[in-house]
Amino acid sequence: MNELVFVGLGLNDEKGITIKGLEETKTADQVFMENYTSRMPNFSLKRFESFCGKKIQIVDRQTLEEENGKLILKAAKEGKTVFLVPGDPFIATTHVALRIDAEKQGIKTRLVHGISIISAIVSMSGLHNYKFGKTVTVPFPENFSKTPYNVVAQNKSIGLHTLCLLDLKAYKKEYLSINQALKMLLEIEARNKRNIITPENIAVGIARAGNNNPTLKADYISDLLNFDFGQPPYSLIIPGELHFMEVEALIAFADAPRTFKRLSK
Amino acid sequence: MNELVFVGLGLNDEKGITIKGLEETKTADQVFMENYTSRMPNFSLKRFESFCGKKIQIVDRQTLEEENGKLILKAAKEGKTVFLVPGDPFIATTHVALRIDAEKQGIKTRLVHGISIISAIVSMSGLHNYKFGKTVTVPFPENFSKTPYNVVAQNKSIGLHTLCLLDLKAYKKEYLSINQALKMLLEIEARNKRNIITPENIAVGIARAGNNNPTLKADYISDLLNFDFGQPPYSLIIPGELHFMEVEALIAFADAPRTFKRLSK
């Protein structure tokens, strides 16, 4: 059957895919995968190919963006085509255009979800999902932006937590560190003096979400600046108001100092 | 090894679990599962048991809440114990307390993520993740609440989309319908006249996220009230400001009328 199935690979390694996603891959005529929007640090293409018994064609940014995914659309006109994407296929918006193009060309498309960083981080932290506001990405210093600070400020003004995704250059294996992200936020604070993100405020740093040994550390920002999170990838939560159960969770799961008990409302 | 591993089952059926989650289950000494916080409409316990080769003990709300999960904590002191939870284990906060208790009692805990409705809905819709504000749950009419309306109003005031989860009674297989949720929101509008959610505004209804044949329909609320979404479960998005690519996505994936093109900014 001619169709294009977008399949999420989830997080961390080749075992992050769902049974359903693996079955779809096994029954495909052609399988493509991109590895430039995100990185799965422990993903082995070789192991994954032996899992699914298929040869996988890696597509780079140029093939997808400059050639508008022609290669993939052509395959989808010829038979069942699976396009593997780290995380969940459309949480990053990069591939939405490809799906729109496929539908416009009369190609049937389907979506098999993968674990996304945006739900994994919330779940790991033990913080309450309905208390998160808008999500933001903190860029590398060379792309300095006040947006992350402003989003945190907006969320905090209504008591909400902010999930900060930290930028990465997948092809170079370069990751913005939690230290760099915090420093950028503190620098903006120093100029604006709005008392939104100070060294005395708290934050939660997360390394290696989806891995068997993630690092989760909640602390005052002044102390987090010196904390060694180990290997990437990294994320950051700037909490708003904390419920006492959320404080309990941060103490139990994120090794928060017991003085956090003073923070809950 | 004595430990308690929380494993997410993901959405829809027994194939929503990850390879990693299945492997953890296969190597457990005891396996528990709860099916009252959410429902996986096509999940077959029998098929899942044959997948993982384990006998699964179903625990109900009473066992978990009134007895503080004693049964599970006892098992985790004796050997490797897996606790299966629909979706991602801690997106609903119900089981955070059990994990805190385990850690306090010195039991090692781990988390294997599952697909969560909160990322799946965003991904399906083609709307931009970083444009979603706070999430809210719309309750059944007998638990009438103005909160969902107020959350939509707050999100809209800063241009953001709102993901509305619709309440369900898992044990009774009762689901709040999209029609009921919209009517509740319109009723509050009629009393408040704040022009937040009117029949002329748009919304996106979603049925059966994670299923092979989900229904996604974007339309003016007046028309959505009469749309047949088929089988549950249901969710709803009330969009804020739309980027033109988001409008394109709603037309391609959610069968939005072409007049939506006027809405984008």
Side-chain angles (χ1 to χ4, degrees), chain A residues 120-132:
Chain A
I121 296 284
V122 173
S123 178
M124 286 172 78
S125 71
L127 298 179
H128 296 172
N129 171 49
Y130 62 85
K131 285 178 64 189
F132 278 79

Side-chain angles (χ1 to χ4, degrees), chain B residues 188-199:
Chain B
I188 302 169
E189 174 66 44
R191 287 191 224 160
N192 289 265
K193 301 201 192 305
R194 288 174 61 194
N195 207 21
I196 304 294
I197 305 170
T198 71

